[in-house]
Amino acid sequence: MKSNPTRLLLLVALTAIGLLNPCQTFAQESMEKLWGDRVVKLRADNAERGQLFDEGNYAMFIHWGLYSMLGNEVDGKTYYGIGEWIMNSNMANIPVEEYKKLAGKFNPVNFDAKKIASIAKDAGMKYIIITAKHHDGFAMYDSDACDFNIVDATPWGKDPMKELAEACREAGLGFGFYYSHSKDWTFPGGGSGPRRDAEGNPATFDDYFKKKCLPQVNEITTQYGPIELVWFDTPGRIPKEYVEQLVELVHKNQPHALVSGRAGHGLGDYQTLGDMEVPRRNIDGMWESVDTTNDSWAYAWYDENWKSPREILGRLLACVGRGGTYMLNIGPKGDGAVPARAETTLKKAGQWIGRYPQVVYGTDGSPWQHKFPWGDVTRKGNTLFLCVFDWPNNGKLYLPNLKTEIASARLLEHKESTALTWTKEGDTVVIDVPPGQPEPLVSVIQLELKSEPNVDPVWAMDPELPTIISAEFATVDELKQSQKRWMEKFGEWKSIVQVHGFDKGGKASWDVEVLEPGDYAVALNYSGNGRLVWSVEVEGGQKIQNQQNSSAIYHTSPIGWLSFPKAGRYKVSVECLEGDVASASLKSIQFERM
Ligand code: GLC
């Protein structure tokens, strides 16, 4: 699908300044632009840089600033969304001068750098990236370039970054900074900031860049010892020459540090995906997902929607299993304390990682390039780690389309392991597993292969568990297939790949491997308007058709049973035949053996 460059530029610009409708749909290409150009480099290119990133696979992100003090409540009113945007017009719309006054009250007496480092360490994370300066322009370190900083402008008057950098070094963790290079809402000339200086003279982006941005990036890359990474964000419309200067400066001052993909213009060292985005298929090159323990990046008083340890592991292993790195955020309170529930959920996930470190660190993506109904796979050479979230009740774990011979299969239980038996018929492996999930969170089976894994990444219908296949894996004929992103609350991003455009006719098809013949209940997950008639057809076989209701919210509706008389490869196609077909947006197809 081609996208119109002018429209694309407009989308990028509007989103950057926060004007877009939260329910806006983007084509896949435009999303890649939104966060800075796609940077796909081979791992070898950055072998010297970013070793912790590449091998560690798991990091802590911290959003902490003046906004943390408000916790999303201003003058008794709660604003729902990402807390660090509180001064923006989409949130509480706080005038610059008023916002700056908050510094006079900022006194984070409960900030404890050692505690934060130990939370990250216990969580199994390998480095910490913290906000040196967010879009609000307030420097959370001692800056000579601008006195709107934590040392000069607050009663607390200390530099927490010195303490945190030191605590990370002591704990054996890497350290690095988030820096909002393009947006600065309080410094004259900064992106979306005041257009005039204190004397009323016009201020340009160049003024901001020379007086504040470049000097501050110099400060953070020279005053805190060796750092892992500078995490630039939301490049918006920043001209290329500015990004070039920043990247050059970081690489000069910190030859081992990476620059995030959101620096812009494709100049970062790796690719950063969209906020809170966990990909469904493997991505080449160095990349990361950024996510948060609840729904907001910065502390929000109401936000108790924590990810459970199991969800954290699910998202971490999905990122590592897709070949990337997972950076998970916490938002300390205005007084510096980390919310207790963030700490406990991270710790429980970390205890699991402590039992199975070999599954997470130094591993690469799954050869199948997508998850399985029962869980996910990470790989180190000829060793595969099957991470089983949903333990099969019938004592059989199905591993489809594996052409390589297996040397051994073992169930890992902390330091113990038990040999498992398996059968292999054609390319289908069935591992005999004991009844009952051995590990309360995620059980691990280690497979040693006799040679490099050789698999067919086609999806297979699990005979035991419902198999949900995203529209991302469909091939489309006369239909559109694109990424759709929306904000659940302000700044809380969700994303799917949808198939739509059914008014032109057209069908979406999936190749699927049937491991056990029989009847399968088929369901579709979609959104739309009113009753829709869907058909699902097996090429050269049965066709079923049914009418079901729809709404703006994606949900799963059963269509009917389809029979697959023999094991093997089938093509299944979906069409939307009647109703407001133009409104139909298909998210996934599901098969469950009856
Ligand atoms: C977005 C937001 C920002 C947040 C960041 C985290 O770019 O503007 O507030 O820091 O994502 O990934």
Side-chain angles (χ1 to χ4, degrees):
M1 205 184 89
K2 290 258 176 301
S3 58
N4 171 332
T6 327
R7 179 169 172 267
L8 208 144
L9 217 73
L10 190 73
L11 281 178
V12 177
L14 288 177
T15 308
I17 53 174
L19 290 178
L20 263 191
N21 174 340
C23 292
Q24 185 71 50
T25 301
F26 302 95
Q28 179 117 29
E29 303 94 301
S30 58
M31 280 317 305
E32 284 153 12
K33 290 278 176 192
L34 187 65
W35 304 115
D37 288 3
R38 185 172 269 260
V39 187
V40 181
K41 288 190 179 173
L42 293 177
R43 279 165 194 257
D45 290 356
N46 283 311
E48 204 184 325
R49 281 196 223 117
Q51 215 188 328
L52 270 190
F53 179 101
D54 198 17
E55 307 260 293
N57 287 337
Y58 191 27
M60 177 178 272
F61 207 9
I62 303 180
H63 278 67
W64 189 47
L66 283 185
Y67 40 78
S68 312
M69 206 169 47
L70 299 175
N72 286 32
E73 187 184 299
V74 178
D75 297 334
K77 181 167 157 50
T78 297
Y79 294 84
Y80 297 90
I82 49 174
E84 69 283 2
W85 276 66
I86 193 72
M87 71 175 292
N88 183 263
S89 57
N90 286 290
M91 297 284 279
N93 198 13
I94 307 174
V96 171
E97 287 317 314
E98 222 165 284
Y99 186 83
K100 283 177 136 181
K101 285 190 203 139
L102 289 173
K105 295 195 205 115
F106 194 61
N107 194 18
V109 290
N110 290 325
F111 173 78
D112 182 344
K114 287 201 164 103
K115 173 92 191 281
I116 292 177
S118 83
I119 295 173
K121 183 108 183 162
D122 291 349
M125 294 158 158
K126 293 294 184 188
Y127 55 93
I128 293 181
I129 304 299
I130 186 165
T131 43
K133 184 204 84 165
H134 208 274
H135 307 333
D136 67 346
F138 183 71
M140 289 294 286
Y141 71 95
D142 188 10
S143 173
D144 285 341
C146 175
D147 58 12
F148 187 44
N149 73 65
I150 192 163
V151 175
D152 295 323
T154 76
W156 196 56
K158 288 197 265 179
D159 183 343
M161 302 306 167
K162 280 261 184 286
E163 293 173 31
L164 193 58
E166 184 54 34
C168 283
R169 250 185 299 284
E170 274 171 20
L173 295 173
F175 180 66
F177 289 112
Y178 169 108
Y179 189 89
S180 172
H181 60 317
S182 178
K183 284 191 203 315
D184 192 306
W185 295 333
T186 50
F187 196 88
S192 310
R195 301 266 65 95
R196 292 187 178 273
D197 65 17
E199 286 77 49
N201 301 316
T204 64
F205 186 81
D206 195 67
D207 295 330
Y208 151 76
F209 188 80
K210 289 197 180 119
K211 289 185 193 149
K212 182 169 180 182
C213 180
L214 201 60
Q216 287 202 328
V217 171
N218 190 49
E219 290 171 346
I220 60 175
T221 51
T222 51
Q223 295 174 10
Y224 297 88
I227 59 172
E228 278 307 303
L229 215 152
V230 178
W231 212 90
F232 294 115
D233 192 14
T234 52
R237 279 172 290 183
I238 189 170
K240 189 172 182 184
E241 60 265 29
Y242 295 118
V243 182
E244 282 167 342
Q245 289 182 59
L246 290 170
V247 172
E248 202 191 307
L249 184 67
V250 174
H251 285 168
K252 176 170 78 75
N253 290 342
Q254 296 280 340
H256 293 279
L258 291 172
V259 170
S260 70
R262 291 193 197 168
H265 296 283
L267 294 173
D269 291 312
Y270 65 88
Q271 184 191 353
T272 300
L273 305 189
D275 286 348
M276 303 157 185
E277 183 182 359
V278 174
R280 281 164 289 267
R281 55 164 25 135
N282 287 21
I283 300 174
D284 284 340
M286 283 177 72
W287 60 269
E288 80 188 338
S289 273
V290 284
D291 203 4
T292 185
T293 39
N294 49 356
D295 292 337
S296 171
W297 301 103
Y299 174 71
W301 76 264
Y302 63 84
D303 191 353
E304 296 291 347
N305 188 24
W306 305 101
K307 291 183 178 63
S308 67
R310 191 178 145 91
E311 277 177 279
I312 290 175
L313 292 173
R315 295 169 81 86
L316 165 66
L317 291 167
C319 289
V320 180
R322 304 286 76 72
T325 285
Y326 186 57
M327 181 151 77
L328 183 59
N329 176 77
I330 58 167
K333 299 178 185 176
D335 68 0
V338 175
R341 284 178 171 144
E343 184 181 341
T344 48
T345 192
L346 287 176
K347 192 174 191 155
K348 284 185 189 154
Q351 284 163 348
W352 183 91
I353 299 171
R355 292 199 288 281
Y356 306 102
Q358 68 274 40
V359 173
V360 174
Y361 307 128
T363 48
D364 292 319
S366 165
W368 286 270
Q369 302 182 33
H370 56 75
K371 67 176 188 168
F372 287 118
W374 43 258
D376 225 316
V377 177
T378 65
R379 170 193 172 193
K380 183 154 196 160
N382 296 347
T383 306
L384 300 180
F385 298 104
L386 316 186
C387 306
V388 187
F389 285 74
D390 289 299
W391 196 252
N393 291 325
N394 64 347
K396 289 174 174 185
L397 187 91
Y398 289 82
L399 195 60
N401 306 317
L402 176 65
K403 298 180 192 306
T404 322
E405 288 301 309
I406 298 174
S408 69
R410 301 193 75 82
L411 174 67
L412 307 186
E413 279 176 276
H414 200 194
K415 295 205 164 67
E416 309 287 303
S417 78
T418 323
L420 298 175
T421 55
W422 72 91
T423 53
K424 191 163 189 278
E425 262 180 53
D427 293 343
T428 305
V429 179
V430 185
I431 304 172
D432 305 309
V433 294
Q437 168 115 343
E439 258 281 351
L441 282 173
V442 188
S443 302
V444 183
I445 295 169
Q446 180 171 337
L447 275 195
E448 292 300 334
L449 304 181
K450 290 191 176 161
S451 53
E452 286 252 302
N454 179 8
V455 309
D456 182 341
V458 74
W459 275 83
M461 297 183 198
D462 195 282
E464 182 63 7
L465 300 162
T467 302
I468 300 168
I469 314 178
S470 157
E472 185 166 355
F473 295 91
T475 46
V476 293
D477 185 18
E478 300 286 318
L479 284 176
K480 292 184 211 140
Q481 187 177 33
S482 60
Q483 190 181 40
K484 177 175 174 180
R485 285 174 59 92
W486 67 93
M487 294 187 203
E488 203 68 41
K489 290 189 279 294
F490 178 75
E492 181 195 339
W493 287 95
K494 302 279 179 205
S495 78
I496 62 162
V497 169
Q498 59 164 347
V499 163
H500 56 120
F502 288 95
D503 46 331
K504 308 270 179 324
K507 53 169 114 163
S509 311
W510 290 264
D511 285 325
V512 282
E513 185 78 19
V514 171
L515 306 177
E516 296 286 350
D519 274 343
Y520 284 76
V522 181
L524 298 176
N525 187 298
Y526 58 88
S527 70
N529 178 24
R531 294 190 185 111
L532 298 169
V533 175
W534 295 93
S535 80
V536 185
E537 184 177 10
V538 182
E539 196 178 63
Q542 213 190 339
K543 176 173 178 170
I544 53 173
Q545 192 165 314
N546 202 350
Q547 185 189 54
Q548 294 288 15
N549 223 330
S550 70
S551 76
I553 313 252
Y554 287 87
H555 79 280
T556 303
S557 290
I559 303 300
W561 293 17
L562 266 183
S563 93
F564 296 89
K566 289 192 299 225
R569 192 68 52 94
Y570 291 84
K571 188 189 271 299
V572 177
S573 303
V574 171
E575 290 173 73
C576 189
L577 303 173
E578 289 173 39
D580 185 357
V581 294
S583 71
S585 161
L586 181 63
K587 180 179 158 196
S588 60
I589 187 166
Q590 175 179 320
F591 302 95
E592 185 171 3
R593 188 163 162 236
M594 293 292 103

